[in-house]
Amino acid sequence: KKIVFCSSQDSYCSFQTFEKLLIANRGEIACRVIKTCKKMGIKTVAIHSDIDANAVHVKMADEAVCVGPAPTSKSYLNMDAIMEVIKKTRAQAVTDFPFQSPEITFLLSLQESEGVTFIGPDTHAIHAMGDKIESKLLAKNAKVNTIPGFDGVVKDADEAVRIAREIGYPVMIKASAGGGGKGMRIAWDDEETREGFRFSSQEAASSFGDDRLLIEKFIDNPRHIEIQVCIIHSDKHGNVLWLNERECSIQRRNQKVVEEAPSTFLDPETRRAMGEQAVALAKAVKYSSAGTVEFLVDSSKNFYFLEMNTRLQVEHPVTECITGLDLVQEMIRVAKGYPLRHKQADIPINGWAVECRVYAEDPYKSFGLPSVGRLSQYQEPLHVPSV
């Protein structure tokens, strides 16, 4: 008789997907994708700039190709060079992009003509959710709670003041195409609104090449809680999953510092309501992949749609820790046309997980400025279980 031992590795190899995958990114996310690809038996191709030739993701991949010099515009965002690498290496699929940029739509169109699969949502979802004005209108139409505010484009400072008075102070002035806290100002009166309009439009133009602004009610003392979704909507399966929440209320300069899952603030009813609204929005844009819907939650547990990230975020591991799902594997399966293997009732909250962003800042300036010196030592607490 034969005794067969089954391991978790079997779940990665029991179906056919792609032979070779190109990762159009660098850093942690690229390394994360490579780890799952190795388990699934998929060969990987890394791209890099000349200065990143010795980066970790380059060493981990099966193949690595230089796509240009150090400036990202001439390397990681050089779509012609990336397309050449796809042809040269005969990659069957491409995943991830380092920046949400107009070139993504162009690249996705090229990939469709070349017969290369993009592991992620389609161009419609990326464009719709990448614009804060359009995404807010779509959210309203999908019956998703939205923050009170002006949905159109604010033309000038005078109109900004008029809108702010109608909404009621305080208000948040923010870039339509923004992210990472850039192009964002809080105004408590008319003078701050005029000043905020000027600075936000300038910062938005320089950071995103788009100076359009929107104005909405500023919610004082909010919590920032996001719902991870994984969905197939573009095929006959129609499967939908929301994978609980991550709380990222601890921030610095409007960037997330600590991520935890689950949130200690939410109750089961609020969690379910947020999950169902996140799925409703994903369905409204025919979303097909893993993504994140972000909400602001006030002290009374009222929640409002903030934005949707149409990619795998660096904080996704805390969701994987409490659910037991490999989100990269699910994204690859969805792209190949497989149905999701789980139902909503199968998604657990098993334990609690936390992720922290490590900052390098100058301690002699009240930790107020990034340190541009060389990092001489970095030691992780890997002796602690589950780190």
Side-chain angles (χ1 to χ4, degrees):
K1 293 182 180 180
K2 292 184 178 179
I3 300 176
V4 179
F5 293 93
C6 296
S7 69
S8 60
Q9 192 79 7
D10 297 336
S11 66
Y12 286 91
C13 306
S14 59
F15 51 88
Q16 183 177 2
T17 53
F18 306 100
E19 293 182 6
K20 186 180 290 188
L21 186 151
L22 181 139
I23 305 161
N25 205 337
R26 60 184 174 182
E28 190 232 354
I29 285 294
C31 296
R32 172 67 188 84
V33 173
I34 292 171
K35 288 177 182 178
T36 289
C37 285
K38 287 182 182 297
K39 293 178 181 178
M40 296 177 69
I42 301 172
K43 293 182 178 179
T44 53
V45 180
I47 61 170
H48 63 89
S49 63
D50 53 8
I51 202 169
D52 288 340
N54 293 316
V56 177
H57 76 284
V58 173
K59 296 180 178 180
M60 288 179 63
D62 296 295
E63 300 177 51
V65 182
C66 181
V67 288
T72 55
S73 61
K74 297 181 179 180
S75 52
Y76 295 99
L77 288 178
N78 186 340
M79 299 302 148
D80 291 335
I82 294 175
M83 284 305 303
E84 283 300 314
V85 175
I86 293 171
K87 294 177 184 177
K88 179 181 177 182
T89 60
R90 296 182 179 180
Q92 298 172 330
V94 175
T95 186
D96 216 72
F97 288 91
F99 310 99
Q100 294 291 338
S101 64
E103 287 85 357
I104 291 180
T105 303
F106 172 68
L107 180 58
L108 294 185
S109 299
L110 282 179
Q111 287 173 352
E112 290 169 5
S113 65
E114 295 287 334
V116 178
T117 301
F118 176 63
I119 298 175
D122 62 19
T123 54
H124 166 70
I126 292 176
H127 173 76
M129 293 295 101
D131 187 298
K132 284 185 171 60
I133 293 175
E134 185 175 350
S135 63
K136 189 174 180 180
L137 290 172
L138 283 165
K140 276 189 173 181
N141 293 334
K143 302 296 188 293
V144 176
N145 301 344
T146 57
I147 300 172
F150 179 69
D151 296 327
V153 178
V154 184
K155 297 177 182 177
D156 52 38
D158 290 335
E159 186 179 39
V161 170
R162 178 181 62 78
I163 293 168
R165 288 175 178 175
E166 290 177 357
I167 296 172
Y169 288 109
V171 296
M172 174 73 81
I173 303 169
K174 61 202 311 187
S176 175
K182 294 182 179 179
M184 186 182 297
R185 297 288 189 284
I186 301 169
W188 294 82
D189 54 38
D190 292 354
E191 184 179 350
E192 289 186 0
T193 298
R194 293 182 183 279
E195 185 178 86
F197 178 88
R198 187 172 82 255
F199 286 121
S200 291
S201 58
Q202 290 173 354
E203 189 173 18
S206 62
S207 298
F208 313 112
D210 186 343
D211 64 356
R212 293 175 304 146
L213 301 177
L214 58 87
I215 298 179
E216 59 190 22
K217 182 72 174 177
F218 174 66
I219 300 183
D220 205 7
N221 296 319
R223 287 177 177 264
H224 192 154
I225 298 177
E226 56 194 23
I227 300 289
Q228 178 75 54
V229 295
C230 192
I231 180 171
I232 303 178
H233 192 272
S234 59
D235 64 7
K236 297 178 181 179
H237 304 296
N239 294 330
V240 178
L241 287 177
W242 53 272
L243 309 178
N244 303 313
E245 80 282 357
R246 299 186 290 261
E247 175 153 359
C248 45
S249 300
I250 300 175
Q251 301 188 7
R252 181 159 173 77
R253 300 190 187 95
N254 295 309
Q255 290 195 339
K256 303 164 188 175
V257 179
V258 177
E259 290 268 355
E260 57 181 321
S263 167
T264 58
F265 183 70
L266 292 191
D267 53 59
E269 292 75 20
T270 307
R271 175 178 295 113
R272 185 182 307 107
M274 292 177 70
E276 289 172 353
Q277 288 200 15
V279 166
L281 179 62
K283 282 185 173 182
V285 291
K286 295 181 170 60
Y287 198 82
S288 181
S289 192
T292 303
V293 182
E294 302 191 5
F295 294 93
L296 287 181
V297 185
D298 67 18
S299 57
S300 300
K301 296 181 181 175
N302 299 306
F303 58 90
Y304 307 94
F305 168 71
L306 186 62
E307 64 179 344
M308 183 175 188
N309 283 299
T310 55
R311 63 187 186 277
L312 191 69
Q313 292 179 279
V314 293
E315 55 265 31
H316 78 276
V318 292
T319 294
E320 294 181 326
C321 284
I322 67 167
T323 61
L325 270 67
D326 184 325
L327 290 178
V328 175
Q329 183 190 19
E330 296 302 328
M331 290 178 69
I332 294 173
R333 282 176 51 88
V334 166
K336 191 64 177 178
Y338 289 100
L340 295 175
R341 295 171 293 176
H342 308 278
K343 297 180 180 179
Q344 191 62 54
D346 301 330
I347 304 303
I349 297 180
N350 183 16
W352 178 80
V354 63
E355 175 179 304
C356 301
R357 181 183 303 225
V358 179
Y359 280 86
E361 295 188 350
D362 191 337
Y364 299 105
K365 294 183 180 178
S366 300
F367 292 96
L369 294 174
S371 171
V372 294
R374 180 176 294 276
L375 186 65
S376 58
Q377 185 177 14
Y378 175 66
Q379 185 174 351
E380 296 181 3
L382 297 179
H383 62 285
V384 180
S386 300
V387 172

